[in-house]
Structures are given as C-alpha cells and as structure tokens.
Amino acid sequence: MTFLVILIALALVFDFLNGLHDAANSIATIVSTRVLAPRYAVFWAAFFNFVAFLVFGLHVAGTVGSGIIDVGAVDDRVILGALGGAISWNLITWYAGIPSSSSHALIGGLLGAGIAKAGVGVIVWHGVIATSAAIVLSPALGFALGLLLMLAVSWIFVRSTPYAVDRLFRGMQFVSASLYSLGHGGNDAQKTMGIIAALLYAHGESGSFHVPLWVVLSCQTAMALGTLLGGWRIVHTMGSKITRLSPMQGFCAETGGAVTLFAATALGIPVSTTHTITGAIVGVGAARRVSAVRWNVAQSIVVAWVITMPAAGLVAALTYAVSGLVLP
C-alpha cells in the first residue's frame, strides 16, 4: 500500500511537470502578442486547465489506462518505468527549451515498460495506431485550421484599419486562449488519470477499470499548479522563435488548436497539445508568407517529436529492468 501511494504521488508529479512543460501551449501566443502579461496569463490558463473536467468526459483516460498496453499486464514496475521515462524526457526537453510532447513521452514510457515486461504481445494495437496517427494528424489539422482561419479573417477585415483589427482581436484572444487552455486541461490531465486508474485496478482497489472522482480532482489540481509556474523557456520558442505573432494571428492559432483538441478529446484520442499548437502557429505564419516561418526552428521541433516516444520508451525499459533489483 505504501508503494502504491508513492506511485500515485509520482504520477501527480508527472502531471505537475506536464502543466509546467505544456503551459507554454496555453499561454505562449497571448503572452507573445502582449495581450496579457505572463504573471496574469498563467493564472488564466491554470483556471481553465482545472475546470476542464466539468466540460469533457473521461474517454482519453480510458484510452491511456487500458488502450495502449493490456491493463492485465500493468503492475508497480510497469508504472514506475513509464513515469520514469516520461518524467526524464520532460525534464530534459524543458531544460533545453524544446516543446516536445509530454503525452507521447508517457505513451512511449508505457510501451517501453510494458514490452520490457511481457513483449510486444502486450500492445493494444488499435489504441497505439490511433495515438501514433495523431502525431501526424493533430499538427496537420492545427496547421490547416490556423491557415484557413487566418485567410478567412484577413479577407473579412480587409477594409478595416490595422488599429481597429488589433483592438478587436486583443479582446478576442481572451476567448481563444480560454478555449485552448480548456482543451489542454481536458486532454492532457486525463492521461495521468488513466495511469492512476490502471494502477488502482492492478492493486484490486477497484472492481473494474474506472476513474474515481478524487483521481480526477487530484490530476486537474496538479496540472493547474504546474501551469501556474509556467514554462518560460518554451514560451519563448513557441511565441517568438517560430514566427512573430499579431493578436489576430494569435487568435487564429489558438482557435485552430482548440478545435483540434476538442475533437480529439471527444473521440478519446490522447493527442499532443504541443504538436497541435505548433502546427497552428506555423499555419498562421505561412498564411502571411512562407518566409515568415523560421523553418529551421520548426524542423528541430519535429525532430524532437520523432524521437520522443522511442527515447522515453528506452528510459522506461531501463527503469523497469533496474527496478527489478529492488522490487518483486
């Protein structure tokens, strides 16, 4: 029972780091356009991260908890390995200022630890295929929506003065940032809920796989607290290094990202909020002109996406193997 409590605490640490690491996704655009000061933006994002559980169901938690590896193969060492791989990768990329995916680090960690225990037969392929497809589809959809919204908005306000447009979209960004933070809290916090629910099921604390309310509230709180601390290194990358954003562009990027997250969460697909908003930011930048996007920065981010799952999976497998020296 003591080790169960330790693992739940470690899962909440991951959720906290997820909020810390991915807070940039929620606030980078509204900070970079100077619509909201950083110290106020993190409170804004944290609030909507927390209340997300009131809006969305728990489909993503179900996918992560029982749709990536066979829930019957889950034990303390598998969860320890998965969290070890995900947390290690999160800390490395946070320190380097690379907006990698906490979500896919966790998925990679689960796969690495699960395979280390029981081989590839433990994989739930339909869940893994859907999640892997989302690595490509979520930024692509974010890109397309950001691009189309930018073109549509530019056409609608073509006769308006720059001052009037800027003033309008400074207000509209509060709405779009709220929606994106809501989508972030709805999709990302559920991943840790799924991990804890699988752990409780493995310990016989629940007769069937489900997510208790205390787990929901704990995960939403941990993520909101992480968001409050922010991830300023990644905010800089997302908000200014990829492309310079105006309030209108920030609105289009956040709205495109939010629509993508809402759809994925409704379908129970654990997507990367990092991938999604990066695609949307590149889309609004490309709508202005192709050269407005710093493609070398975008390319380095894509490289980080590709290696996230295998890197986290490798660390998770090693953690699982080493844990066998001290755990039964």
Side-chain angles (χ1 to χ4, degrees):
M1 180 60 71
T2 300
F3 196 65
L4 172 62
V5 173
I6 292 172
L7 285 176
I8 290 173
L10 188 62
L12 293 175
V13 168
F14 169 78
D15 212 27
F16 174 85
L17 291 173
N18 193 341
L20 177 73
H21 191 278
D22 287 2
N25 302 338
S26 302
I27 63 176
T29 50
I30 201 169
V31 170
S32 68
T33 56
R34 295 183 173 84
V35 170
L36 201 59
R39 62 182 178 275
Y40 299 125
V42 290
F43 280 99
W44 186 272
F47 172 77
F48 285 99
N49 267 221
F50 179 76
V51 301
F53 77 96
L54 297 172
V55 178
F56 300 100
L58 298 175
H59 307 301
V60 173
T63 298
V64 174
S66 60
I68 301 298
I69 62 173
D70 183 0
V71 70
V74 172
D75 60 16
D76 290 351
R77 288 176 60 196
V78 169
I79 295 298
L80 179 62
L83 292 172
I87 289 173
S88 299
W89 187 249
N90 265 5
L91 289 174
I92 291 168
T93 52
W94 171 79
Y95 182 78
I98 301 170
S100 68
S101 168
S102 299
S103 308
H104 293 125
L106 184 60
I107 299 300
L110 267 177
L111 288 170
I115 292 171
K117 177 186 178 181
V120 295
V122 78
I123 299 173
V124 180
W125 286 106
H126 65 84
V128 173
I129 290 171
T131 302
S132 300
I135 293 178
V136 176
L137 294 178
S138 62
L141 184 57
F143 176 92
L145 289 173
L147 177 66
L148 292 173
L149 282 168
M150 188 65 195
L151 292 174
V153 168
S154 298
W155 181 78
I156 291 169
F157 292 96
V158 67
R159 297 185 182 278
S160 301
T161 65
Y163 174 79
V165 171
D166 187 76
R167 184 177 180 181
L168 172 64
F169 282 98
R170 281 182 174 274
M172 293 293 288
Q173 256 204 286
F174 284 100
V175 177
S176 60
S178 301
L179 292 173
Y180 192 84
S181 294
L182 197 65
H184 173 261
N187 200 284
D188 268 20
Q190 287 194 40
K191 293 152 192 169
T192 309
M193 295 177 201
I195 291 292
I196 296 176
L199 189 59
L200 292 173
Y201 177 78
H203 276 261
E205 297 295 326
S206 57
S208 60
F209 180 88
H210 74 282
V211 184
L213 179 60
W214 69 265
V215 173
V216 174
L217 294 175
S218 298
C219 290
Q220 296 288 172
T221 300
M223 175 161 286
L225 289 174
T227 302
L228 283 176
L229 292 183
W232 306 118
R233 295 171 186 268
I234 299 173
V235 166
H236 180 53
T237 299
M238 299 290 285
S240 61
K241 280 191 176 180
I242 297 176
T243 187
R244 293 288 178 181
L245 297 172
S246 67
M248 182 172 72
Q249 291 172 315
F251 168 82
C252 292
E254 289 162 346
T255 303
V259 170
T260 304
L261 291 182
F262 275 50
T265 304
L267 293 172
I269 301 173
V271 299
S272 167
T273 55
T274 307
H275 294 191
T276 302
I277 194 63
T278 302
I281 290 173
V282 171
V284 299
R288 183 171 55 190
R289 63 181 187 278
V290 174
S291 62
V293 178
R294 295 185 177 92
W295 294 102
N296 60 326
V297 176
Q299 183 180 13
S300 67
I301 292 171
V302 171
V303 171
W305 294 351
V306 172
I307 66 174
T308 289
M309 285 180 67
L314 178 61
V315 175
L318 291 173
T319 303
Y320 176 85
V322 171
S323 68
L325 300 176
V326 293
L327 295 174

